[in-house]
Amino acid sequence: MTNQEISAVFGRIADMLEFQGANPFRIRAYRNGARRIADLRESLATIVSEPSRSLTDIEGIGKDLASKIVMLLESGSFPMLDELLAEIRPTTLALLRVPGLGPKKAALLHRELGVASLDDLRRACESQRVRVLKGFGPKTEESIMQGLDIAAAAERRTRWADADLVVAELLAHMRAVDGIRQMEIAGSYRRGCETVGDLDLLVDGSDSASVMDRLGSMPQVALVIARGDTKMSVRLNSGMQIDLRVVPTESFGAALQYFTGSKDHNVLVRRRAKQQGLKVNEWGVFRIEPDGKESYLAGRNEEEVYAAVGLPCFAPPLREARQEFEWAKTDAIPELVQLADIRGDLHMHTTATDGKSSLREMVDAARARGLEYIAITDHSQRVSMARGLNPTRLRAQWVEIERMRKEVEDIAILKGIECDILEKGGMDLPDDVLAEADWVVASIHYGQKQSAEQITDRIMGALENPHVHIIAHPTGRLINRRNPYAVDMNQVFLAAAKHGKFLELNANPARLDLHEIHCATAQQHGIPIVISTDAHSSEGLDVMRYGILQAQRGGLTPADVANTMPWQEFSKRLR
Ligand code: DGT
Ligand code: CA
Ligand code: CA
Ligand code: ZN
């Protein structure tokens, strides 16, 4: 078992204990352990294998958790986990994924109304049985209804970054099969969609039986849904489905094109082929002869498949039947921004607030990733939970940054701040302080449920402030967890363009905010996008690649993304 899996088990136990109303200290021990394990840089299996070391040396891991980790590593389970799983069905535990429904409320619903699944809960809300319970009311009932949609979607779709972890394990596991010539994950994963429904694995190999046997032997496989001669579907313990197809070499490119999708994109490819007397399917491109016979034209790789129907080989993120066929007509397909184009990162935190790495560590990590410039943007005072900075502490940090600048000359460090936009409107720090900053990121963390008018006004106020450079995570959504604020983005685009502001594409895989469609809209308005990691640790800088995928899906080129500029150019743009 990997650290992530063990962490997930402890997290689930904490949920189940909480659901049962267990001792809060016990719950916290599991919750804490789960977090510590997720943050570890070394695998637990390695630590256990070294006789000179002990799991209890890890902060937050006591004797009890240590023995459970050993059992998990040895057998994948332990008695208490099995008991809990037998008592509480997974469908019941899904109640905990409804935003705003904590374990206490969920347990009450279970006890009083017999609610044991999301479907039960929806019916209970619809028949207004929830609002009469103690501690609930019409408002709570309504917000549960909204949360239900998110929880249901979360159950079906996995965030891209989480799917990517599964992909890495899947490919590593499959590589052990002899005779695999090529292997790719197609579908929404390859298109870089923000969430992935299932994984579509394509294998070019001669011995399909051994390929399918190998997939079936993956430790995470819970169930073989179906198995044929060259097709197989399995479900993993996590609920994720994998569809496997084994195809011959001459069809690999055609199958890759077909199963990469999107469906709508493929409809347009096939329509175009038909106009030319051709047929495209997962086996290849075929010419239909006058006698009705089909002759094979192409299919080994995607380039020849597209070329056979007179199209360029579109980058997978563009295959959504949006504008790509228009672009192809005029030879105007955008040269999409790549990770290697990024030269700066303009949103990150340090130990001064809720970051885990010091200023020094962030600078070193940025250099190691080849960045030319960074902005240190810790939270402002309103964010008390993160020990946000008041003017005095902020200025002290800037003194530290100035000292650091003398030591490191190969990377520019901007004196920045992530300044909250207050609930009542206005910025969390006085203008004279903001005026001293090199880079002011404005963002909303409180009052997220305000009306469209209120929340849009707050953001408009920030865009009108001459000291603000950029709005961070402009819609506030968390994928699978929280809907966007009610903000009117149309007004935001107009104001950002008018006042010459930047908009952030937050690369955190849970945020990816701006949405890809908003990225394309910003581009139309000529608003420069800044892709930022919002890193809260040195490793947090690595999420940039998720932001790049999102930007690609929005059709952004390096010219649309301000932090692709070399430092000289960007510093001029700032002035
Ligand atoms: P997902 O899994 O919901 O995130 O989205 P996709 O795009 O991966 O969809 P999926 O897994 O159902 O199918 C993978 C690709 O295979 C899809 O993008 C296009 C192709 N495909 C699947 N079923 C059909 C179909 O019935 N008709 C056509 N034209 N293409 C299909
Ligand atoms: Ca899929
Ligand atoms: Ca599929
Ligand atoms: Zn931040």
Side-chain angles (χ1 to χ4, degrees):
M1 274 183 131
T2 64
N3 287 9
Q4 297 312 321
E5 286 167 320
I6 294 173
S7 165
V9 168
F10 285 170
R12 211 172 319 139
I13 288 178
D15 286 346
M16 292 193 280
L17 289 174
E18 209 164 352
F19 191 80
Q20 289 186 331
N23 177 335
F25 290 104
R26 206 159 150 237
I27 298 167
R28 199 171 316 145
Y30 281 99
R31 193 86 67 209
N32 215 351
R35 202 163 28 230
R36 297 284 176 192
I37 292 167
D39 286 348
L40 280 184
R41 294 169 199 213
E42 234 181 332
S43 93
L44 289 165
T46 309
I47 299 174
V48 168
S49 71
E50 290 177 13
S52 64
R53 303 177 61 191
S54 165
L55 287 172
T56 52
D57 293 341
I58 304 170
E59 214 191 313
I61 306 291
K63 271 205 191 115
D64 181 46
L65 288 195
S67 74
K68 283 175 177 142
I69 290 170
V70 172
M71 285 190 274
L72 279 175
L73 286 170
E74 281 170 0
S75 68
S77 190
F78 49 83
M80 176 194 143
L81 175 61
D82 296 335
E83 278 163 31
L84 278 172
L85 286 172
E87 281 168 30
I88 306 174
R89 286 184 297 153
T91 53
T92 308
L93 216 53
L95 296 176
L96 296 178
R97 280 201 293 277
V98 178
L101 195 66
K104 280 213 182 73
K105 281 209 164 89
L108 192 82
L109 287 166
H110 185 56
R111 216 171 41 237
E112 300 289 321
L113 300 178
V115 166
S117 69
L118 294 175
D119 284 341
D120 287 353
L121 181 55
R122 186 179 298 279
R123 278 190 291 271
C125 286
E126 280 164 359
S127 57
Q128 307 200 337
R129 280 178 291 147
V130 172
R131 59 177 65 190
V132 297
L133 288 180
K134 194 163 172 246
F136 291 73
K139 257 203 147 138
T140 319
E141 192 176 80
E142 193 181 317
S143 88
I144 290 176
M145 287 280 265
Q146 285 172 3
L148 269 169
D149 293 333
I150 293 188
E155 243 175 302
R156 287 192 301 270
R157 304 193 63 84
T158 307
R159 287 183 195 147
W160 192 91
D162 295 332
D164 190 45
L165 294 174
V166 180
V167 164
E169 288 177 27
L170 174 63
L171 294 181
H173 178 80
M174 295 306 293
R175 276 194 199 102
V177 186
D178 279 340
I180 290 190
R181 288 179 290 263
Q182 305 175 74
M183 183 161 60
E184 291 275 357
I185 309 288
S188 53
Y189 170 81
R190 183 157 180 256
R191 302 199 309 281
C193 296
E194 57 190 36
T195 62
V196 170
D198 65 11
L199 292 174
D200 305 282
L201 170 63
L202 286 186
V203 171
D204 167 5
S206 38
D207 181 1
S208 63
S210 59
V211 173
M212 291 192 284
D213 287 347
R214 182 70 187 164
L215 178 61
S217 77
M218 192 167 162
Q220 295 94 317
V221 168
L223 166 78
V224 175
I225 300 168
R227 177 169 171 161
D229 291 337
T230 57
K231 283 204 276 192
M232 181 175 181
S233 289
V234 301
R235 188 170 303 286
L236 303 183
N237 292 323
S238 62
M240 169 85 96
Q241 181 172 328
I242 300 174
D243 293 338
L244 163 69
R245 279 170 194 83
V246 185
V247 298
T249 305
E250 67 271 16
S251 296
F252 187 76
L256 184 56
Q257 195 285 324
Y258 182 91
F259 291 110
T260 295
S262 65
K263 285 192 184 93
D264 293 342
H265 173 89
N266 286 354
V267 167
L268 296 179
V269 171
R270 280 198 301 272
R271 184 179 301 165
R272 190 182 162 100
K274 207 166 168 193
Q275 288 163 353
Q276 304 171 7
L278 304 174
K279 180 175 158 185
V280 183
N281 58 26
E282 62 264 54
W283 303 104
V285 184
F286 302 87
R287 178 174 307 290
I288 316 228
E289 307 292 353
D291 62 2
K293 281 209 185 108
E294 296 175 359
S295 60
Y296 172 92
L297 287 183
R300 299 186 154 262
N301 58 54
E302 278 191 324
E303 285 77 11
E304 68 174 39
V305 169
Y306 277 109
V309 295
L311 286 169
C313 186
F314 300 100
L318 294 180
R319 301 183 194 174
E320 294 292 346
R322 287 177 189 152
Q323 293 176 78
E324 67 269 27
F325 292 91
E326 293 300 310
W327 286 330
K329 248 186 235 163
T330 53
D331 222 2
I333 297 184
E335 291 281 343
L336 300 179
V337 63
Q338 307 292 328
L339 183 58
D341 296 324
I342 296 295
R343 310 219 193 187
D345 192 341
L346 297 167
H347 185 166
M348 66 186 68
H349 298 262
T350 72
T351 44
T353 60
D354 57 350
K356 285 184 193 159
S357 307
S358 65
L359 171 60
R360 169 105 244 171
E361 287 167 330
M362 293 308 284
V363 170
D364 288 343
R367 183 192 297 105
R369 287 160 181 78
L371 296 177
E372 290 175 29
Y373 51 99
I374 59 172
I376 301 298
T377 56
D378 270 309
H379 289 290
S380 61
Q381 55 200 9
R382 172 67 183 87
V383 191
S384 46
M385 263 174 42
R387 296 189 308 115
L389 303 176
N390 59 23
T392 313
R393 287 177 59 217
L394 180 57
R395 287 191 169 113
Q397 185 184 50
W398 288 345
V399 170
E400 205 188 326
I401 290 177
E402 274 162 18
R403 211 178 302 131
M404 187 75 66
R405 282 175 178 171
K406 295 202 183 84
E407 283 175 50
V408 290
E409 284 170 352
D410 54 344
I411 183 161
I413 313 167
L414 295 181
K415 293 187 275 184
I417 179 73
E418 178 174 11
C419 185
D420 252 60
I421 303 170
L422 298 174
E423 289 101 309
K424 61 181 192 322
M427 303 299 291
D428 186 26
L429 291 170
D431 274 353
D432 65 309
V433 177
L434 296 182
E436 287 172 43
D438 301 320
W439 180 249
V440 176
V441 176
S443 65
I444 285 184
H445 292 104
Y446 296 92
Q448 304 191 15
K449 294 202 171 139
Q450 289 175 351
S451 69
E453 197 184 352
Q454 279 176 304
I455 209 138
T456 308
D457 279 353
R458 286 165 70 192
I459 296 183
M460 299 303 272
L463 286 167
E464 281 158 19
N465 184 312
H467 307 298
V468 169
H469 292 93
I470 185 167
I471 307 292
H473 40 79
T475 75
R477 65 100 175 245
L478 293 176
I479 298 173
N480 282 352
R481 279 201 3 236
R482 191 169 78 202
N483 286 326
Y485 333 125
V487 52
D488 176 353
M489 284 303 286
N490 202 32
Q491 286 194 49
V492 171
F493 289 127
L494 292 174
K498 178 174 161 203
H499 298 293
K501 306 294 188 192
F502 302 86
L503 288 179
E504 180 181 271
L505 162 49
N506 191 296
N508 183 312
R511 288 192 182 271
L512 296 177
D513 182 8
L514 292 179
H515 186 277
E516 61 198 57
I517 301 289
H518 285 147
C519 289
T521 312
Q523 179 194 46
Q524 280 168 8
H525 282 88
I527 300 164
I529 297 291
V530 172
I531 310 178
S532 297
T533 61
D534 198 355
H536 283 69
S537 70
S538 49
E539 301 92 58
L541 295 174
D542 291 328
V543 304
M544 186 61 86
R545 66 192 188 102
Y546 309 123
I548 295 289
L549 261 182
Q550 181 88 342
Q552 292 179 338
R553 289 182 56 76
L556 301 191
T557 69
D560 303 315
V561 178
N563 53 323
T564 62
M565 288 185 206
W567 168 238
Q568 291 302 333
E569 203 184 317
F570 184 76
S571 59
K572 258 186 235 146
R573 174 76 170 69
L574 268 188
R575 278 183 258 126

